[in-house]
Amino acid sequence: MRKIAIALTKGGVGKTTTAVNLAAALALAGKRVLLVDVDTQGQAGRSLGMEPEIGLAELVMGDVEPEDALIEARPNLWLLGGGDGLAGLKRMIARKDFGGERTLREALAPLDGRFDYVLLDTAPGWDVLAVNALFYADEILTPVSLEILTLQGLQGFLGKIQAIQAYHPDLILRYVTPTFYDRRVKKSDEIIEQLKTYFPDQLTHPVRYSVRLSEAPGYGQTIFEYAPKSTGVFDYTVISKIVMKHE
Ligand SMILES: Nc1ncnc2c1ncn2[C@@H]1O[C@H](COP(=O)(O)OP(=O)(O)OP(=O)(O)O)[C@@H](O)[C@H]1O
Ligand SMILES: [Mg+2]
């Protein structure tokens, strides 16, 4: 079972869009996928048209059994919802004397082997939940917005990953996925070239800028449902194949 955190400390780079649509692509390829929304914004669930009352927070705090927290959002695609409830979970973790960073890992252990993929949509910033998500995951996919990200911004995040690797050596930055790619913008290609130099093994096919991708969550639909012929479908399908190649 592969556990992949979609993460970057910077906001608005396409983490949720990537988590939801990569999860959908893998599910359509016949994989059993769990999407975990580790964000108080609850955007991953909403992008699938759901705002579950019970989700990750209730499961981790031991209030419910996994069966009651997991929602089958689509064929092969389950959701463990995030949202406001995670604020309480953060407080609970913060109160622990030790081992707080492994709270998620311990609570989700019973799910081991039940899925082919667990994708975690993480929040921007760096807090106990972000750290918990990275202690649970074995792989990181970092979306790099070609519009707003500087390589310096990425550098800071890499330092944080290294700090976690000291305690969780299995964790690797596996994929760097350029987002908001626009061929007409010269800067886009320049940044991709730079990324190629720094991340020759991690760099994936990019996700092109697409209005359809930004519209789909408003309808509670994945890009595969909302605009099946769009570039987003093509791009996320290619990325899913890259990810599946490493099985
Ligand atoms: N390739 C794309 N083309 C156009 N719009 C996009 C693309 N990817 C994402 N968007 C839009 O950009 C905005 C930010 O994307 P998204 O919510 O996925 O980022 P995020 O990293 O999860 O943000 P946050 O850090 O707040 O959680 C959203 O409105 C989304 O619909
Ligand atoms: Mg998000």
Side-chain angles (χ1 to χ4, degrees):
M1 186 174 88
R2 293 182 58 191
K3 304 182 231 170
I4 308 176
I6 316 297
L8 181 68
T9 31
K10 188 144 189 72
V13 295
K15 290 184 293 296
T16 302
T17 306
T18 298
V20 168
N21 291 303
L22 179 57
L26 292 167
L28 286 169
K31 304 296 176 186
R32 289 167 61 86
V33 183
L34 171 62
L35 176 62
V36 185
D37 187 350
V38 197
D39 190 343
T40 52
Q41 297 177 93
Q43 200 58 43
R46 227 170 287 129
S47 299
L48 291 169
M50 330 202 121
E51 277 183 69
E53 297 265 303
I54 291 172
L56 178 63
E58 292 70 23
L59 177 62
V60 176
M61 295 203 271
D63 300 339
V64 297
E65 295 297 316
E67 283 63 36
D68 301 318
L70 294 171
I71 295 172
E72 191 169 359
R74 300 291 190 276
N76 284 337
L77 174 55
W78 283 262
L79 170 73
L80 202 44
D84 293 335
L86 291 176
L89 176 59
K90 275 195 220 185
R91 286 194 296 274
M92 184 271 254
I93 295 171
R95 277 198 303 269
K96 286 192 172 188
D97 286 336
F98 58 90
E101 66 280 357
R102 292 180 204 268
T103 305
L104 206 65
R105 192 184 175 93
E106 284 159 12
L108 297 185
L111 300 180
D112 277 1
R114 286 182 52 175
F115 301 94
D116 298 308
Y117 287 90
V118 179
L119 299 189
L120 303 110
D121 178 29
T122 64
W126 189 252
D127 62 9
V128 291
L129 279 184
V131 171
N132 261 270
L134 295 185
F135 265 88
Y136 173 70
D138 296 320
E139 303 171 63
I140 299 171
L141 183 154
T142 293
V144 173
S145 163
L146 298 175
E147 282 190 329
I148 57 172
L149 192 87
T150 60
L151 286 172
Q152 289 92 312
L154 198 52
Q155 214 60 48
F157 181 59
L158 296 180
K160 290 182 178 354
I161 294 178
Q162 272 175 2
I164 292 195
Q165 281 166 332
Y167 301 92
H168 175 27
D170 293 342
L171 181 69
I172 52 167
L173 175 62
R174 193 71 183 268
Y175 306 107
V176 172
T177 299
T179 54
F180 296 87
Y181 177 62
D182 184 346
R183 202 174 292 146
R184 292 162 304 178
V185 182
K186 190 157 157 269
K187 201 184 73 177
S188 270
D189 283 318
E190 284 174 10
I191 299 180
I192 290 203
E193 281 309 311
Q194 285 179 316
L195 289 172
K196 224 181 257 171
T197 314
Y198 286 99
F199 304 102
D201 301 328
Q202 293 92 340
L203 192 65
T204 71
H205 175 83
V207 183
R208 280 165 280 184
Y209 182 89
S210 158
V211 175
R212 294 277 178 262
L213 275 175
S214 62
E215 290 169 346
Y219 295 88
Q221 292 183 334
T222 70
I223 196 63
F224 296 88
E225 296 157 345
Y226 180 66
K229 295 202 172 98
S230 65
T231 58
V233 161
F234 180 86
D235 294 341
Y236 280 111
T237 301
V238 172
I239 295 164
S240 73
K241 286 183 179 157
I242 295 171
V243 170
M244 286 187 285
K245 218 162 53 190
H246 294 132
E247 277 176 9

